[in-house]
Amino acid sequence: DGGITQSPKYLFRKEGQNVTLSCEQNLNHDAMYWYRQDPGQGLRLIYYSQIVNDFQKGDIAEGYSVSREKKESFPLTVTSAQKNPTAFYLCASTPAGPGDYNEQFFGPGTRLTVL
Amino acid sequence: RKEVEQDPGPFNVPEGATVAFNCTYSNSASQSFFWYRQDCRKEPKLLMSVYSSGNEDGRFTAQLNRASQYISLLIRDSKLSDSATYLCVVNGGYSSASKIIFGSGTRLSIRP
């Protein structure tokens, strides 16, 4: 079955540690996205990538980093510079870029808690 | 003013009732509009796209009003399984993911 996988589902880290969240898709989609969701709020864009080896900052990129070495994979690193990293992180993909907007397919999310 | 605004609810209605949500947007150049459903602690899933002429899918009807800059979602004959948070999504139409704006969601609870 095609889809997006994110791992792990739950992640606990100590303050000051970097942590990398995995996102893999086998939908052959060009574009991938990372969002953050806090309780009672909408999704906020962290980073997105339209093609391999290229990515752009979203609205809240500070304290995060990404890479896009393969079409299928778009890992997100939450660095110690992120002031309030505890949140629900969602990865998404679309067949083409955001200007040709069709349905965004979402992974199941990773719930990160920083202790 | 937020770019996309939704009444957070919760809307608590009896099974079988009809319920409607609105979502207002500030960017008059917005090109495409969607409703997503999000269950508790799960990822959002597309419920329906919203077209200028309005569209219907079973018990769900979506409307777009460009003049007043809002979209609406109507659910008829509500079921217990309709309980969820409904997210409004507006795409500014530029080649930038930053213009895909999510509302904060409207919580719906259907009671027996």
Side-chain angles (χ1 to χ4, degrees):
Chain A
D1 287 334
I4 300 179
T5 57
Q6 289 185 244
S7 61
K9 188 172 183 178
Y10 298 97
L11 189 55
F12 297 88
R13 278 296 180 267
K14 291 184 179 179
E15 197 171 334
Q17 288 182 331
N18 290 357
V19 61
T20 297
L21 281 57
S22 165
C23 177
E24 305 278 332
Q25 54 100 357
N26 61 2
L27 300 167
N28 199 33
H29 285 177
D30 288 325
M32 297 185 74
Y33 312 77
W34 273 107
Y35 291 94
R36 167 183 174 138
Q37 188 176 33
D38 294 283
Q41 296 192 34
L43 279 64
R44 291 185 290 165
L45 182 67
I46 304 172
Y47 269 98
Y48 69 102
S49 167
Q50 297 193 61
I51 55 172
V52 173
N53 292 322
D54 188 47
F55 45 82
Q56 285 76 42
K57 292 182 179 180
D59 302 316
I60 55 165
E62 186 175 347
Y64 299 97
S65 65
V66 293
S67 63
R68 187 91 185 273
E69 296 177 2
K70 298 186 299 182
K71 187 175 184 179
E72 304 79 24
S73 178
F74 191 40
L76 173 74
T77 297
V78 184
T79 75
S80 56
Q82 167 50 232
K83 296 286 186 281
N84 187 17
T86 295
F88 187 40
Y89 290 88
L90 287 157
C91 179
S93 70
T94 51
D100 299 319
Y101 185 60
N102 291 302
E103 176 183 358
Q104 276 186 318
F105 292 80
F106 285 89
T110 293
R111 200 165 293 276
L112 173 64
T113 302
V114 175
L115 306 171
Chain B
R1 182 184 173 187
K2 287 185 182 179
E3 292 188 79
V4 174
E5 289 200 71
Q6 294 184 250
D7 182 340
F11 285 64
N12 189 330
V13 302
E15 199 174 3
T18 295
V19 61
F21 317 132
N22 280 348
C23 166
T24 58
Y25 60 95
S26 60
N27 180 5
S28 60
S30 296
Q31 297 293 312
S32 52
F33 309 86
F34 306 84
W35 284 104
Y36 279 74
R37 170 195 170 124
Q38 186 174 25
D39 293 298
C40 188
R41 304 179 79 83
K42 300 280 190 179
E43 74 274 25
K45 294 186 178 178
L46 182 70
L47 179 65
M48 3 185 8
S49 303
V50 187
Y51 304 118
S52 296
S53 55
N55 48 303
E56 187 174 313
D57 182 3
R59 298 182 292 108
F60 299 85
T61 300
Q63 296 276 356
L64 166 63
N65 185 318
R66 284 194 182 274
S68 301
Q69 294 182 208
Y70 73 87
I71 64 172
S72 63
L73 178 67
L74 179 78
I75 306 174
R76 290 181 299 278
D77 188 24
S78 53
K79 312 291 184 191
L80 295 175
S81 57
D82 295 334
S83 297
T85 296
Y86 291 85
L87 303 174
C88 162
V89 182
V90 176
N91 187 349
Y94 305 100
S95 294
S96 167
S98 293
K99 294 304 178 185
I100 303 172
I101 308 296
F102 285 77
S104 55
T106 297
R107 282 180 50 207
L108 173 64
S109 178
I110 308 297
R111 63 179 188 270

